[in-house]
Amino acid sequence: MTIRPDLVSATDSFRRWHAEHQEALNRAGALESAVQKEDRSGLEEACRWVLDTLAAHDADETRELFPLLEALGAEALRDELEAGHQELKELAERLLAATGVDGGLVRSLVTLLRQHVDTEEQLLLPLLKGHRLDLDAFDEGYLVLEKQLLAPETW
């Protein structure tokens, strides 16, 4: 694999997104803890983090990742990720607007947050790294990943 010098910033973006994903998983744990303790302030802090981070994360993906998905013909995945961002935002806003701690709503947010992180970490980022970092297109593992992502119904 060769890393093109003009794409070093892409590698930096992947590292930043990975770090955000790790923190999102930590916040998911904090949300679960807030439900168990009926800790409204902990819930609010985690929801505000989700909203603040999600806004920047969504803007970055719209600018940097989604055009690549379109170029790969993966508009359905792009649409799914955009819808996930919107749903995460709506759930966090609903939790902030509610009084008390709504365990069902928190579980929905935590589940969606973990699913979204998993999709990006296990499928999206590896696929895009391959295209942006010039992986050999015939690498067997890469082809399997691409097929799972772009045409799972044919796998």
Side-chain angles (χ1 to χ4, degrees):
M1 169 175 48
T2 58
I3 299 177
R4 296 184 351 218
D6 61 320
L7 295 177
V8 170
S9 65
T11 303
D12 292 340
S13 294
F14 291 134
R15 285 189 191 113
R16 185 180 72 250
W17 288 320
H18 178 69
E20 285 176 1
H21 291 156
Q22 293 306 306
E23 182 60 23
L25 295 176
N26 292 338
R27 297 296 173 140
L31 285 163
E32 289 174 324
S33 178
V35 169
Q36 292 173 351
K37 298 175 184 176
E38 295 189 24
D39 175 11
R40 179 70 191 171
S41 65
L43 172 91
E44 289 176 0
E45 179 184 339
C47 285
R48 278 193 213 94
W49 182 89
V50 167
L51 290 172
D52 292 345
T53 303
L54 184 61
H57 186 83
D58 187 41
D60 287 344
E61 286 186 354
T62 298
R63 182 181 61 256
E64 296 180 45
L65 297 180
F66 294 167
L68 291 170
L69 289 176
E70 290 172 15
L72 291 170
E75 291 89 354
L77 177 60
R78 180 209 54 216
D79 294 345
E80 176 187 330
L81 293 171
E82 286 179 325
H85 289 169
Q86 184 60 35
E87 190 174 354
L88 285 166
K89 178 183 179 214
E90 290 170 4
L91 287 169
E93 288 173 342
R94 285 177 57 198
L95 281 164
L96 285 175
T99 58
V101 177
D102 182 334
L105 205 51
V106 170
R107 281 187 288 284
S108 294
L109 177 59
V110 166
T111 298
L112 182 61
L113 188 57
R114 287 183 174 143
Q115 288 171 345
H116 190 79
V117 166
D118 189 56
T119 297
E120 290 191 0
E121 285 288 318
Q122 301 303 316
L123 295 175
L124 177 64
L125 294 182
L127 175 69
L128 294 177
K129 278 184 183 181
H131 279 273
R132 296 190 66 157
L133 302 180
D134 292 338
L135 280 177
D136 181 354
F138 296 102
D139 179 76
E140 183 178 330
Y142 178 73
L143 288 175
V144 168
L145 176 65
E146 187 172 50
K147 189 158 180 74
Q148 286 176 337
L149 180 61
L150 297 178
E153 68 282 356
T154 64
W155 183 240

